[in-house]
């Protein structure tokens, strides 16, 4: 283990879990030059423990690691860590990207890593919480037995708190705040990830499939979040 994070520091704290030491150190130098405090971990076997103990503002997690792979780390750490997890994946492996999102990752950046792209995606993730402002000014939205609260970044179903990742909450809030209106994938990508939709990225679809059962929606016959073919998604208002 090396370079633990100082919990008293005021800079945004990032934990990089990456076994390529050269890449990890170059990334750390670049991020530190841009105002982040950065901790490094090269052994996947220590990844879960460090995430839970240090509670960084963000985790950058490589997929292929010695000791324990990134998917397993993400799955095991997610119930104990609410911050954003950005996963590094092989450029052409769409399945790895989908699996990462299903395990609770918030976003992914393909290798070889381009520092400016990485920084832009990190900043987009970190400012999402600050940008969740309702068009009506409301901070709490209620739909029958479902409550979504942007102030606490929590949602409840039948008075039971729903376990949502940061990215899942952001998507749920965006859809709920636009209830009754179809949101295109282009709009969703622009507002949540700050990038253009390339027509192939499945991250939004994966997150919708994870959110539906959590809010009591039937994945096979959804009544709350409906797929509008060739367009996007519609959050249905109360009947």
């Amino acid at each position: 283990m090396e370079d633990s994070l100082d919990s008293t520091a005021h800079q945004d704290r990032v934990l990089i879990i990456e076994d390529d030491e050269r890449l990890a150190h170059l990334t750390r130098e670049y991020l530190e030059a841009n105002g982040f405090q950065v901790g490094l971990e090269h052994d996947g076997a220590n990844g879960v423990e460090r995430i839970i103990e240090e509670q960084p503002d963000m985790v950058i997690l490589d997929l292929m690691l010695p000791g324990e792979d990134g998917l397993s780390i993400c799955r095991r750490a997610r119930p104990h860590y609410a911050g954003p997890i950005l996963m590094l994946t092989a450029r052409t492996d769409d399945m790895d990207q989908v699996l990462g999102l299903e395990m609770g990752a918030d976003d992914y950046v393909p290798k070889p890593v381009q520092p400016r792209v990485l920084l832009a995606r990190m900043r987009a993730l970190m400012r999402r919480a600050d940008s969740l402002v309702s068009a009506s000014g409301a901070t709490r939205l209620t739909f029958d037995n479902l409550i979504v609260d942007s102030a606490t970044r929590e949602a409840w179903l039948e008075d039971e708190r729903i376990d949502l990742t940061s990215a899942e909450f952001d998507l749920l809030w965006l859809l709920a705040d636009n209830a009754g209106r179809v949101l295109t994938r282009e709009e969703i990508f622009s507002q949540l990830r700050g990038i253009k939709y390339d027509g192939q990225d499945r991250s939004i679809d994966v997150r919708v499939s994870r959110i539906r059962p959590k809010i009591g929606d039937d994945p096979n016959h959804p009544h709350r979040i409906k797929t509008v073919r060739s367009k996007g998604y519609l959050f249905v208002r109360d009947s």
Side-chain angles (χ1 to χ4, degrees), residues 3 19 24 33 35 38 47 57 62 76 80 106 112-114 124 136 147 149 159 183 196 199 227 232:
D3 294 339
D19 65 318
V38 183
D57 295 299
D62 188 26
R76 294 206 299 122
H80 312 283
D106 294 279
V113 176
Q114 299 180 42
S136 65
I147 298 173
D149 192 313
D159 296 324
L183 284 181
K196 292 183 178 180
T227 302

Side-chain angles (χ1 to χ4, degrees), residues 19-32:
D19 65 318
D20 184 330
E21 295 191 23
R22 181 176 181 275
L23 173 61
H25 284 277
L26 287 174
T27 303
R28 180 183 66 178
E29 291 176 3
Y30 182 78
L31 294 181
E32 287 178 342

Side-chain angles (χ1 to χ4, degrees), residues 61 69-79 85 87 100 103-105:
L61 177 62
D69 66 75
L71 292 175
S72 176
I73 292 172
C74 190
R75 176 181 57 80
R76 294 206 299 122
R78 187 41 97 187
I85 297 177
M87 186 165 282
M103 292 298 104

Side-chain angles (χ1 to χ4, degrees), residues 17-19 61-66 68-73 87-90 93 95-97 99-100 111:
I17 306 177
E18 166 65 72
D19 65 318
L61 177 62
D62 188 26
L63 182 65
M64 302 300 294
L65 292 163
E68 184 171 0
D69 66 75
L71 292 175
S72 176
I73 292 172
M87 186 165 282
L88 305 181
T89 69
D93 200 335
M95 184 54 66
D96 283 344
Q97 295 167 358
L99 286 173
K111 287 186 171 183

Side-chain angles (χ1 to χ4, degrees), residues 195-211:
I195 60 176
K196 292 183 178 180
Y197 178 56
D198 63 7
Q200 299 179 342
D201 193 311
R202 298 175 57 193
S203 59
I204 299 301
D205 303 315
V206 171
R207 284 200 189 103
V208 168
S209 69
R210 286 175 55 85
I211 292 171

